[in-house]
Amino acid sequence: MEPVALRERLRAEALAMGFDVFGVAPVHADVRADYFRQWIADGMHGDMDWLAKNPERRTDATRVLPAARSIIVVGLNYYQPHPPAAYRIAKYALGADYHDVMLRRLKKLCGVMRTLGGDQKPYVDTGPVLEKPLAAEAGLGWQGKSTILLQRGFGTWLFLGVILTTLELEPSPKEPHRCGTCTRCIDACPTAAIVAPYQLDARRCLAYLTIEHDGPIPEEFRRPLGDRVFGCDECLDVCPWNRWAKATQEARFAPRALPALRETLAWTDEQFVEHFRGTPVKRLGLRRWQRNALTVLGNTGTAADLPAIRALLGHVDPMVAEHAVWAERELVARS
Ligand code: SF4
Ligand code: SF4
């Protein structure tokens, strides 16, 4: 089959499997390798040491699959409004874990590609690939000043999946960059983490600090954290390209119930796992959930939350205990 016909055949398969967007990048796509290396050298990846490992593999697909000829990038829309609640969880994490949903479909697509003679490697988030620049190279959209991938139809709300393949596919036409003079994401960021257009310092980013970071949240970021217990959507919510966002068709992303934060402070590890099983929040673990919840209660709580906060003042984990001290102090000072 000709490279164009093959690409269109696979696009039809991907859309039939429930993906919302599909594109193909050339195997030696420009993934802004120099920028990535400098970002790592500047330490902007924080504790995410895995990002610093094997940069050559991340920036050259043929180091991972030597016979690779093309790179497929697919996107799945996950947008939904946040349910009314006293605190916020990033919208991508409100329901079922996207890794499972995406990987199952990617493997199905790889199965079709195998029957066409291809050898494939699929990745969702965890592989040695730079999804966002690859998605831009595959014509899905462009990387905005917040560094997120923007797509004209779905805005910023796409999960991305990547397949390296030995099949020869015609690359998709690229999308022009459409941020223009807008700086809303930079202006809206509560911690000034977008240090320049297209440059995100993860060490200042609330998504990183509440999800990836293992230690105490540095004090300068605790008040700006506001009511965000897991992740941050601020730079996405303000993006004008989200005006046309549509609700996801994936029922498994429907939000789970959000329990009262003060109740979660008294949870055991088992209760935490039981509640968040199958969602992206589970891998946070109870102690980091408590760290984040205490920070939010320090910012937004009422006197009714004080007994639950005080019960953690002598917690065996010094990080949880210190966050409880901070939360109590903030709350009492506000009362
Ligand atoms: S996720 Fe939040 S903290 Fe991180 S860059 Fe965006 S607005 Fe800033
Ligand atoms: S908010 Fe504006 S500058 Fe930021 S990504 Fe969206 S369009 Fe681009």
PDB file of all heavy atoms in Angstrom, residues 142-148 150 156 177-186 235 238-241, ligand 2:
ATOM      1  N   TRP A 142      -0.147  22.471  17.784  1.00  0.00           N
ATOM      2  CA  TRP A 142       1.125  23.149  18.028  1.00  0.00           C
ATOM      3  C   TRP A 142       1.347  23.233  19.532  1.00  0.00           C
ATOM      4  O   TRP A 142       0.399  23.132  20.303  1.00  0.00           O
ATOM      5  CB  TRP A 142       1.133  24.544  17.403  1.00  0.00           C
ATOM      6  CG  TRP A 142       0.215  25.520  18.065  1.00  0.00           C
ATOM      7  CD1 TRP A 142       0.542  26.483  18.973  1.00  0.00           C
ATOM      8  CD2 TRP A 142      -1.208  25.629  17.886  1.00  0.00           C
ATOM      9  NE1 TRP A 142      -0.575  27.172  19.369  1.00  0.00           N
ATOM     10  CE2 TRP A 142      -1.661  26.678  18.714  1.00  0.00           C
ATOM     11  CE3 TRP A 142      -2.142  24.936  17.102  1.00  0.00           C
ATOM     12  CZ2 TRP A 142      -2.999  27.049  18.790  1.00  0.00           C
ATOM     13  CZ3 TRP A 142      -3.487  25.309  17.179  1.00  0.00           C
ATOM     14  CH2 TRP A 142      -3.896  26.353  18.009  1.00  0.00           C
ATOM     15  N   GLN A 143       2.611  23.380  19.926  1.00  0.00           N
ATOM     16  CA  GLN A 143       2.896  23.539  21.353  1.00  0.00           C
ATOM     17  C   GLN A 143       2.701  25.000  21.719  1.00  0.00           C
ATOM     18  O   GLN A 143       3.348  25.880  21.143  1.00  0.00           O
ATOM     19  CB  GLN A 143       4.322  23.099  21.667  1.00  0.00           C
ATOM     20  CG  GLN A 143       4.385  21.659  22.159  1.00  0.00           C
ATOM     21  CD  GLN A 143       5.744  21.298  22.698  1.00  0.00           C
ATOM     22  OE1 GLN A 143       6.647  21.027  21.916  1.00  0.00           O
ATOM     23  NE2 GLN A 143       5.895  21.290  24.004  1.00  0.00           N
ATOM     24  N   GLY A 144       1.804  25.249  22.664  1.00  0.00           N
ATOM     25  CA  GLY A 144       1.510  26.620  23.062  1.00  0.00           C
ATOM     26  C   GLY A 144       2.589  27.183  23.964  1.00  0.00           C
ATOM     27  O   GLY A 144       3.535  26.488  24.348  1.00  0.00           O
ATOM     28  N   LYS A 145       2.414  28.446  24.342  1.00  0.00           N
ATOM     29  CA  LYS A 145       3.414  29.091  25.201  1.00  0.00           C
ATOM     30  C   LYS A 145       3.474  28.429  26.572  1.00  0.00           C
ATOM     31  O   LYS A 145       4.457  28.543  27.283  1.00  0.00           O
ATOM     32  CB  LYS A 145       3.101  30.591  25.324  1.00  0.00           C
ATOM     33  CG  LYS A 145       3.331  31.319  24.007  1.00  0.00           C
ATOM     34  CD  LYS A 145       2.989  32.789  24.071  1.00  0.00           C
ATOM     35  CE  LYS A 145       3.027  33.362  22.649  1.00  0.00           C
ATOM     36  NZ  LYS A 145       2.553  34.752  22.584  1.00  0.00           N
ATOM     37  N   SER A 146       2.403  27.728  26.948  1.00  0.00           N
ATOM     38  CA  SER A 146       2.412  26.982  28.216  1.00  0.00           C
ATOM     39  C   SER A 146       3.120  25.640  28.053  1.00  0.00           C
ATOM     40  O   SER A 146       3.217  24.883  29.017  1.00  0.00           O
ATOM     41  CB  SER A 146       0.977  26.727  28.674  1.00  0.00           C
ATOM     42  OG  SER A 146       0.300  25.948  27.701  1.00  0.00           O
ATOM     43  N   THR A 147       3.558  25.327  26.845  1.00  0.00           N
ATOM     44  CA  THR A 147       4.226  24.082  26.414  1.00  0.00           C
ATOM     45  C   THR A 147       3.243  22.941  26.157  1.00  0.00           C
ATOM     46  O   THR A 147       3.637  21.877  25.698  1.00  0.00           O
ATOM     47  CB  THR A 147       5.347  23.574  27.369  1.00  0.00           C
ATOM     48  OG1 THR A 147       4.762  22.979  28.516  1.00  0.00           O
ATOM     49  CG2 THR A 147       6.311  24.668  27.761  1.00  0.00           C
ATOM     50  N   ILE A 148       1.965  23.159  26.439  1.00  0.00           N
ATOM     51  CA  ILE A 148       0.976  22.100  26.212  1.00  0.00           C
ATOM     52  C   ILE A 148       0.678  22.004  24.713  1.00  0.00           C
ATOM     53  O   ILE A 148       0.880  22.961  23.976  1.00  0.00           O
ATOM     54  CB  ILE A 148      -0.317  22.410  27.023  1.00  0.00           C
ATOM     55  CG1 ILE A 148      -1.185  21.173  27.197  1.00  0.00           C
ATOM     56  CG2 ILE A 148      -1.121  23.523  26.387  1.00  0.00           C
ATOM     57  CD1 ILE A 148      -0.726  20.276  28.288  1.00  0.00           C
ATOM     58  N   LEU A 150      -1.749  22.135  21.741  1.00  0.00           N
ATOM     59  CA  LEU A 150      -3.066  22.701  21.431  1.00  0.00           C
ATOM     60  C   LEU A 150      -3.557  22.151  20.108  1.00  0.00           C
ATOM     61  O   LEU A 150      -2.793  22.067  19.146  1.00  0.00           O
ATOM     62  CB  LEU A 150      -2.982  24.221  21.313  1.00  0.00           C
ATOM     63  CG  LEU A 150      -2.999  24.985  22.621  1.00  0.00           C
ATOM     64  CD1 LEU A 150      -1.589  25.236  23.095  1.00  0.00           C
ATOM     65  CD2 LEU A 150      -3.700  26.299  22.421  1.00  0.00           C
ATOM     66  N   THR A 156      -6.799  22.133  24.630  1.00  0.00           N
ATOM     67  CA  THR A 156      -5.642  21.570  25.351  1.00  0.00           C
ATOM     68  C   THR A 156      -5.945  20.215  25.990  1.00  0.00           C
ATOM     69  O   THR A 156      -5.109  19.671  26.700  1.00  0.00           O
ATOM     70  CB  THR A 156      -5.225  22.509  26.495  1.00  0.00           C
ATOM     71  OG1 THR A 156      -6.338  22.642  27.389  1.00  0.00           O
ATOM     72  CG2 THR A 156      -4.834  23.881  25.997  1.00  0.00           C
ATOM     73  N   HIS A 177       1.616  27.648  14.001  1.00  0.00           N
ATOM     74  CA  HIS A 177       1.566  28.042  15.395  1.00  0.00           C
ATOM     75  C   HIS A 177       0.515  29.138  15.546  1.00  0.00           C
ATOM     76  O   HIS A 177       0.539  30.109  14.805  1.00  0.00           O
ATOM     77  CB  HIS A 177       2.952  28.562  15.783  1.00  0.00           C
ATOM     78  CG  HIS A 177       3.159  28.571  17.235  1.00  0.00           C
ATOM     79  ND1 HIS A 177       2.710  29.599  18.012  1.00  0.00           N
ATOM     80  CD2 HIS A 177       3.723  27.670  18.051  1.00  0.00           C
ATOM     81  CE1 HIS A 177       3.014  29.326  19.266  1.00  0.00           C
ATOM     82  NE2 HIS A 177       3.626  28.161  19.318  1.00  0.00           N
ATOM     83  N   ARG A 178      -0.435  28.961  16.473  1.00  0.00           N
ATOM     84  CA  ARG A 178      -1.565  29.888  16.508  1.00  0.00           C
ATOM     85  C   ARG A 178      -1.747  30.591  17.858  1.00  0.00           C
ATOM     86  O   ARG A 178      -2.853  30.996  18.190  1.00  0.00           O
ATOM     87  CB  ARG A 178      -2.859  29.139  16.168  1.00  0.00           C
ATOM     88  CG  ARG A 178      -2.885  28.551  14.770  1.00  0.00           C
ATOM     89  CD  ARG A 178      -4.158  27.744  14.567  1.00  0.00           C
ATOM     90  NE  ARG A 178      -4.070  26.885  13.399  1.00  0.00           N
ATOM     91  CZ  ARG A 178      -4.420  27.243  12.170  1.00  0.00           C
ATOM     92  NH1 ARG A 178      -4.889  28.440  11.945  1.00  0.00           N
ATOM     93  NH2 ARG A 178      -4.303  26.386  11.171  1.00  0.00           N
ATOM     94  N   CYS A 179      -0.703  30.728  18.668  1.00  0.00           N
ATOM     95  CA  CYS A 179      -0.858  31.468  19.931  1.00  0.00           C
ATOM     96  C   CYS A 179      -0.925  32.977  19.684  1.00  0.00           C
ATOM     97  O   CYS A 179      -1.533  33.710  20.468  1.00  0.00           O
ATOM     98  CB  CYS A 179       0.306  31.188  20.878  1.00  0.00           C
ATOM     99  SG  CYS A 179       0.168  29.618  21.747  1.00  0.00           S
ATOM    100  N   GLY A 180      -0.265  33.426  18.630  1.00  0.00           N
ATOM    101  CA  GLY A 180      -0.263  34.862  18.333  1.00  0.00           C
ATOM    102  C   GLY A 180       0.311  35.667  19.490  1.00  0.00           C
ATOM    103  O   GLY A 180       1.302  35.273  20.110  1.00  0.00           O
ATOM    104  N   THR A 181      -0.363  36.776  19.818  1.00  0.00           N
ATOM    105  CA  THR A 181       0.155  37.663  20.866  1.00  0.00           C
ATOM    106  C   THR A 181      -0.393  37.292  22.249  1.00  0.00           C
ATOM    107  O   THR A 181      -0.098  37.949  23.237  1.00  0.00           O
ATOM    108  CB  THR A 181      -0.235  39.128  20.578  1.00  0.00           C
ATOM    109  OG1 THR A 181      -1.663  39.167  20.440  1.00  0.00           O
ATOM    110  CG2 THR A 181       0.420  39.634  19.306  1.00  0.00           C
ATOM    111  N   CYS A 182      -1.203  36.238  22.318  1.00  0.00           N
ATOM    112  CA  CYS A 182      -1.819  35.836  23.589  1.00  0.00           C
ATOM    113  C   CYS A 182      -0.747  35.463  24.624  1.00  0.00           C
ATOM    114  O   CYS A 182       0.263  34.846  24.296  1.00  0.00           O
ATOM    115  CB  CYS A 182      -2.731  34.637  23.335  1.00  0.00           C
ATOM    116  SG  CYS A 182      -3.447  33.949  24.832  1.00  0.00           S
ATOM    117  N   THR A 183      -0.984  35.853  25.871  1.00  0.00           N
ATOM    118  CA  THR A 183      -0.081  35.440  26.967  1.00  0.00           C
ATOM    119  C   THR A 183      -0.908  35.015  28.185  1.00  0.00           C
ATOM    120  O   THR A 183      -0.423  35.059  29.312  1.00  0.00           O
ATOM    121  CB  THR A 183       0.864  36.597  27.386  1.00  0.00           C
ATOM    122  OG1 THR A 183       0.056  37.724  27.750  1.00  0.00           O
ATOM    123  CG2 THR A 183       1.828  36.983  26.291  1.00  0.00           C
ATOM    124  N   ARG A 184      -2.155  34.617  27.946  1.00  0.00           N
ATOM    125  CA  ARG A 184      -3.052  34.342  29.086  1.00  0.00           C
ATOM    126  C   ARG A 184      -2.505  33.274  30.028  1.00  0.00           C
ATOM    127  O   ARG A 184      -2.651  33.377  31.239  1.00  0.00           O
ATOM    128  CB  ARG A 184      -4.407  33.871  28.561  1.00  0.00           C
ATOM    129  CG  ARG A 184      -5.275  34.988  28.088  1.00  0.00           C
ATOM    130  CD  ARG A 184      -6.694  34.482  28.015  1.00  0.00           C
ATOM    131  NE  ARG A 184      -7.429  35.198  27.001  1.00  0.00           N
ATOM    132  CZ  ARG A 184      -8.692  34.935  26.700  1.00  0.00           C
ATOM    133  NH1 ARG A 184      -9.327  33.964  27.313  1.00  0.00           N
ATOM    134  NH2 ARG A 184      -9.311  35.626  25.781  1.00  0.00           N
ATOM    135  N   CYS A 185      -1.918  32.212  29.468  1.00  0.00           N
ATOM    136  CA  CYS A 185      -1.424  31.131  30.334  1.00  0.00           C
ATOM    137  C   CYS A 185      -0.289  31.638  31.226  1.00  0.00           C
ATOM    138  O   CYS A 185      -0.221  31.303  32.411  1.00  0.00           O
ATOM    139  CB  CYS A 185      -0.979  29.931  29.503  1.00  0.00           C
ATOM    140  SG  CYS A 185       0.157  30.338  28.173  1.00  0.00           S
ATOM    141  N   ILE A 186       0.581  32.455  30.638  1.00  0.00           N
ATOM    142  CA  ILE A 186       1.721  32.978  31.406  1.00  0.00           C
ATOM    143  C   ILE A 186       1.207  33.887  32.522  1.00  0.00           C
ATOM    144  O   ILE A 186       1.639  33.795  33.673  1.00  0.00           O
ATOM    145  CB  ILE A 186       2.680  33.752  30.472  1.00  0.00           C
ATOM    146  CG1 ILE A 186       3.219  32.808  29.395  1.00  0.00           C
ATOM    147  CG2 ILE A 186       3.811  34.402  31.253  1.00  0.00           C
ATOM    148  CD1 ILE A 186       4.003  33.495  28.291  1.00  0.00           C
ATOM    149  N   CYS A 235      -3.454  27.065  33.583  1.00  0.00           N
ATOM    150  CA  CYS A 235      -2.977  27.556  32.284  1.00  0.00           C
ATOM    151  C   CYS A 235      -3.782  26.942  31.139  1.00  0.00           C
ATOM    152  O   CYS A 235      -3.732  27.429  30.010  1.00  0.00           O
ATOM    153  CB  CYS A 235      -1.478  27.297  32.112  1.00  0.00           C
ATOM    154  SG  CYS A 235      -0.979  25.595  32.363  1.00  0.00           S
ATOM    155  N   VAL A 238      -7.603  28.878  31.038  1.00  0.00           N
ATOM    156  CA  VAL A 238      -7.674  30.239  30.487  1.00  0.00           C
ATOM    157  C   VAL A 238      -7.383  30.289  28.987  1.00  0.00           C
ATOM    158  O   VAL A 238      -7.533  31.333  28.364  1.00  0.00           O
ATOM    159  CB  VAL A 238      -6.680  31.200  31.204  1.00  0.00           C
ATOM    160  CG1 VAL A 238      -7.021  31.328  32.675  1.00  0.00           C
ATOM    161  CG2 VAL A 238      -5.236  30.757  30.997  1.00  0.00           C
ATOM    162  N   CYS A 239      -6.976  29.186  28.404  1.00  0.00           N
ATOM    163  CA  CYS A 239      -6.549  29.209  27.003  1.00  0.00           C
ATOM    164  C   CYS A 239      -7.751  29.454  26.084  1.00  0.00           C
ATOM    165  O   CYS A 239      -8.735  28.713  26.125  1.00  0.00           O
ATOM    166  CB  CYS A 239      -5.863  27.900  26.631  1.00  0.00           C
ATOM    167  SG  CYS A 239      -5.282  27.900  24.923  1.00  0.00           S
ATOM    168  N   PRO A 240      -7.679  30.482  25.248  1.00  0.00           N
ATOM    169  CA  PRO A 240      -8.844  30.785  24.394  1.00  0.00           C
ATOM    170  C   PRO A 240      -9.178  29.663  23.418  1.00  0.00           C
ATOM    171  O   PRO A 240     -10.314  29.575  22.964  1.00  0.00           O
ATOM    172  CB  PRO A 240      -8.428  32.062  23.654  1.00  0.00           C
ATOM    173  CG  PRO A 240      -6.957  32.186  23.836  1.00  0.00           C
ATOM    174  CD  PRO A 240      -6.597  31.456  25.079  1.00  0.00           C
ATOM    175  N   TRP A 241      -8.228  28.796  23.116  1.00  0.00           N
ATOM    176  CA  TRP A 241      -8.518  27.700  22.187  1.00  0.00           C
ATOM    177  C   TRP A 241      -9.424  26.653  22.814  1.00  0.00           C
ATOM    178  O   TRP A 241      -9.899  25.746  22.128  1.00  0.00           O
ATOM    179  CB  TRP A 241      -7.222  27.070  21.673  1.00  0.00           C
ATOM    180  CG  TRP A 241      -6.580  27.976  20.670  1.00  0.00           C
ATOM    181  CD1 TRP A 241      -5.601  28.895  20.902  1.00  0.00           C
ATOM    182  CD2 TRP A 241      -6.929  28.102  19.284  1.00  0.00           C
ATOM    183  NE1 TRP A 241      -5.311  29.582  19.752  1.00  0.00           N
ATOM    184  CE2 TRP A 241      -6.107  29.109  18.739  1.00  0.00           C
ATOM    185  CE3 TRP A 241      -7.854  27.470  18.457  1.00  0.00           C
ATOM    186  CZ2 TRP A 241      -6.181  29.491  17.399  1.00  0.00           C
ATOM    187  CZ3 TRP A 241      -7.927  27.842  17.120  1.00  0.00           C
ATOM    188  CH2 TRP A 241      -7.099  28.844  16.609  1.00  0.00           C
TER     189      TRP A 241
HETATM  190  S1  SF4 B   2      -3.269  30.712  26.657  1.00  0.00           S
HETATM  191 FE1  SF4 B   2      -2.678  31.832  24.792  1.00  0.00          FE
HETATM  192  S2  SF4 B   2      -0.431  31.778  24.768  1.00  0.00           S
HETATM  193 FE2  SF4 B   2      -1.122  30.214  26.218  1.00  0.00          FE
HETATM  194  S3  SF4 B   2      -1.193  28.329  25.027  1.00  0.00           S
HETATM  195 FE3  SF4 B   2      -3.257  29.237  24.944  1.00  0.00          FE
HETATM  196  S4  SF4 B   2      -3.258  30.516  23.070  1.00  0.00           S
HETATM  197 FE4  SF4 B   2      -1.125  30.038  23.546  1.00  0.00          FE
END
